[in-house]
Amino acid sequence: MKPFIKSLTLLTLLCAAVMVLLGLWQAELIVPYSWYLLGYFFVITLLTYYMVYQSNKEPLDFPNYTLGATAIRLLISAVILGVFFWQVKDKAARWHFTITFFVMYFLFTAFEIKSLMANLRQNSGKTDKKDA
């Protein structure tokens, strides 16, 4: 799990550096909520990976853990988007928040999928619980 945390921290720092550079170049592209989103995606990716990491105790339950963690991540993200759109009425802020949210969502999700593929390969040889 430590290599994952190091890689996740590196990805988060890289995103922060890009946000700082974008803020210096085009300040209107980085809304104040961008930093909260970066922290949110760091935490939710870490929690999602931890939930899936628990499947190492029962390798055949890996798909269940993965789908459950993904569903929780998706629902929490939908709630965050819904609350933001309910609270903020400025169309420009909504537009920047949505673009930032989905760029980070897909970036961190792709990173998580890449990291979990190694675990999936380890468990791909077993097809049924009675085979274990």
Side-chain angles (χ1 to χ4, degrees), residues 1-14:
M1 188 152 169
K2 284 187 180 185
F4 176 79
I5 294 172
K6 288 179 183 177
S7 298
L8 179 61
T9 303
L10 182 64
L11 174 67
T12 304
L13 291 174
L14 183 64

Side-chain angles (χ1 to χ4, degrees), residues 18-62:
V18 168
M19 286 171 48
V20 167
L21 291 175
L22 275 175
L24 293 174
W25 181 54
Q26 293 285 329
E28 68 273 1
L29 292 179
I30 304 299
V31 293
Y33 302 109
S34 300
W35 297 104
Y36 295 120
L37 285 176
L38 187 61
Y40 162 73
F41 282 110
F42 177 81
V43 170
I44 198 75
T45 302
L46 193 60
L47 289 174
T48 303
Y49 186 80
Y50 177 75
M51 288 175 64
V52 174
Y53 186 76
Q54 295 301 309
S55 71
N56 286 342
K57 297 174 186 169
E58 280 293 327
L60 298 175
D61 288 335
F62 178 79

Side-chain angles (χ1 to χ4, degrees), residues 87-101:
Q87 294 291 324
V88 177
K89 302 300 181 200
D90 180 28
K91 289 187 180 194
R94 284 181 171 185
W95 175 253
H96 288 305
F97 182 84
T98 305
I99 296 296
T100 304
F101 184 90

